[in-house]
Amino acid sequence: PVAVVGAAEVLTQRTAMYLPGLVGSGVLWLRACREAETLYDASEWLTLEGEGGIGKLTLARAVHQRRNPAAPFHVLDAASAGQDWATKTRRELLDGTGMLVIRHVDALNAKQVHALASALQEARTAKRHQELRVALTLNRKQAGADLTRLLRFFHGTVELPPLRHHIEDLQELVPFFLARLSQQGRLTC
């Protein structure tokens, strides 16, 4: 049976959120959330791995928002890496504070991977991991370049499960997204 619920009703029900802006109570999802928090708390740079669209960036943002909401949160997207991308990334690694998420590192070519690895080494040598949390997001199945050069700087990998592996979260996700998309509660399922 499918329940028809108005978005306005969903807002009053208030689905419990483990992290700000995230819903889901499936075991695999909550395990990934806890692992990401543990690595963040330990000042470890982390890798968030999984299929596209499963919430890697959203999880990084939620953990940072819960743990250090006043600190900056920056995102650099490797999928749109232009000529100055390596320079921006290096500058952010050496001067930035808060959290830096480098998305889609699986899209980098070998030369870009080498440049990023050099910048990460420089940041580690300067002990930047104490002031700046860094997370990489990737889909290892789509990785073209040899990423082992990068992954050695990241002591923890959090594998986010695809929704098909925690389907029990659909009953929380559908109303959550409908409420976010609806205009004054008009969207229902």
Side-chain angles (χ1 to χ4, degrees), residues 38-146:
T38 299
L39 290 166
Y40 188 97
D41 290 343
S43 298
E44 294 292 344
W45 290 359
L46 68 136
T47 304
L48 299 168
E49 188 176 314
E51 297 175 3
I54 61 172
K56 296 179 291 285
L57 178 61
T58 304
L59 176 58
R61 182 176 280 119
V63 169
H64 179 70
Q65 184 179 348
R66 175 186 254 177
R67 295 301 198 223
N68 198 358
F73 183 85
H74 297 277
V75 179
L76 294 172
D77 196 337
S80 59
Q83 288 183 341
D84 63 339
W85 187 83
T87 305
K88 281 184 194 177
T89 304
R90 183 178 176 277
R91 185 175 45 244
E92 192 68 43
L93 284 166
L94 295 176
D95 299 330
T97 59
M99 185 165 194
L100 170 64
V101 178
I102 304 172
R103 297 182 73 193
H104 304 118
V105 294
D106 45 87
L108 295 174
N109 62 38
K111 183 179 177 182
Q112 292 167 324
V113 167
H114 178 73
L116 179 55
S118 295
L120 288 166
Q121 178 62 54
E122 195 174 349
R124 275 285 183 184
T125 301
K127 303 209 183 299
R128 295 288 299 144
H129 59 282
Q130 297 169 355
E131 298 172 40
L132 178 69
R133 303 296 197 282
V134 179
L136 297 182
T137 72
L138 66 117
N139 181 346
R140 200 177 293 260
K141 292 178 183 173
Q142 293 183 351
D146 178 26

Side-chain angles (χ1 to χ4, degrees), residues 1-18:
V2 175
V4 178
V5 178
E9 290 177 54
V10 171
L11 290 175
T12 60
Q13 289 174 359
R14 293 283 182 203
T15 300
M17 294 183 186
Y18 179 76

